[in-house]
Amino acid sequence: MAQVFYQDIPSYCLYKRQWWFGCPACAYPMQVIPHDDGRTYAVRCLYPWHQDTGARFSFTATRDQVPVLHAEDRIYIPSKAEMPLYTGASRETPRARPAEGCRALVRRVWRSTCIPGLPELRLADVLKEAAAGARLTVEIWPDNDRVDIEVKDGDTVVFSIDVKDYTWPGTLAKKLIEDRGDKGGATWLVVPDHRRQQVGYLTSVIHRERIGMTVMAASDFLALFTDRLKEYM
């Protein structure tokens, strides 16, 4: 049986089976939650990080009119250091879109491919921009995704990077132990800044298991990368 990657927009992401709202971070249909009063609705991204950074809205039903979202308080504002690699919600308030003619990624594909792909793409773009003028090349997903990002000086690999966005660090640690690091041979493990609290635990696991990787939060890795650039100018 062929794999199915797209589906009709789920009913829990629709208002009156007619309207849906794309998350301002990942564009995936957000969940529409009716309140007990039967007139007001909450709209939330299904990914907690996007929800916590501003993908939280509400609207009041009006007869035969297109629903209009109102933003709730923004919960998280990235620091200056985090801003270049920020993948949370923008300040945009999405408009209602008709469901007719639209489809969505299957939820498990969205969560396992789209969501972790966002910080990978962002990091690669920022590294390329930073490396402009240096004798370094930055490639995302080389050799059919052998590693997430590879930085080279000619034929010499300078950084081989695996980006991981796991909710539970224990699950990631178990995978690292089973694979003895990264299957593609990456030596740098980078986690998004909103997973920064995982760095200490993952570092201790890597040291204990003698796995040849270094763990850093994304903005810390960018600072290291920027500092190293002078060697390749």
Side-chain angles (χ1 to χ4, degrees):
M1 180 181 292
Q3 287 185 296
V4 177
F5 296 106
Y6 290 91
Q7 62 180 4
D8 292 334
I9 295 175
S11 59
Y12 54 81
C13 295
L14 292 174
Y15 170 61
K16 289 188 174 180
R17 301 182 181 179
Q18 184 178 5
W19 302 102
W20 66 280
F21 310 89
C23 170
C26 65
Y28 196 75
M30 294 187 284
Q31 186 175 13
V32 178
I33 308 166
H35 289 162
D36 291 340
D37 61 13
R39 293 185 65 250
T40 58
Y41 293 77
V43 179
R44 307 279 188 269
C45 182
L46 294 163
Y47 184 49
W49 165 242
H50 296 166
Q51 185 180 139
D52 291 347
T53 53
R56 305 167 57 91
F57 306 91
S58 62
F59 70 90
T60 300
T62 54
R63 185 174 180 179
D64 299 328
Q65 291 187 1
V66 177
V68 177
L69 295 187
H70 300 281
E72 297 182 1
D73 291 340
R74 191 177 181 86
I75 295 176
Y76 183 86
I77 299 176
S79 67
K80 184 178 179 180
E82 293 172 336
M83 184 62 78
L85 296 169
Y86 177 65
T87 57
S90 69
R91 295 183 181 275
E92 173 189 358
T93 299
R95 295 184 178 184
R97 298 184 61 183
E100 185 177 358
C102 292
R103 307 200 81 199
L105 281 171
V106 173
R107 184 169 174 176
R108 60 179 171 77
V109 176
W110 161 77
R111 180 58 185 89
S112 64
T113 303
C114 176
I115 289 297
L118 292 175
E120 294 170 7
L121 285 166
R122 185 63 181 155
L123 180 59
D125 286 346
V126 171
L127 294 182
K128 287 178 183 178
E129 183 178 353
R135 62 174 193 274
L136 293 177
T137 58
V138 179
E139 184 177 1
I140 188 167
W141 306 319
D143 303 325
N144 197 28
D145 202 15
R146 174 176 46 81
V147 296
D148 292 329
I149 302 170
E150 194 167 68
V151 181
K152 288 184 174 182
D153 175 11
D155 293 330
T156 302
V157 176
V158 180
F159 293 104
S160 185
I161 306 160
D162 186 30
V163 182
K164 284 288 187 278
D165 182 5
Y166 274 59
T167 301
W168 308 109
T171 303
L172 176 52
K174 181 180 178 182
K175 177 175 175 54
L176 291 170
I177 293 170
E178 290 175 350
D179 294 344
R180 300 310 303 164
D182 174 60
K183 285 185 176 180
T187 55
W188 293 84
L189 175 61
V190 175
V191 299
D193 284 319
H194 64 280
R195 305 292 189 198
R196 176 181 294 277
Q197 71 278 8
Q198 298 180 356
V199 171
Y201 168 71
L202 293 172
T203 297
S204 67
V205 171
I206 282 172
H207 284 174
R208 186 188 71 222
E209 299 294 329
R210 298 183 180 181
I211 295 170
M213 300 187 80
T214 302
V215 188
M216 298 186 80
S219 61
D220 295 334
F221 179 81
L222 176 59
L224 171 70
F225 180 83
T226 303
D227 185 63
R228 290 276 302 276
L229 276 177
K230 58 182 178 286
E231 302 174 25
Y232 301 95
M233 301 300 288

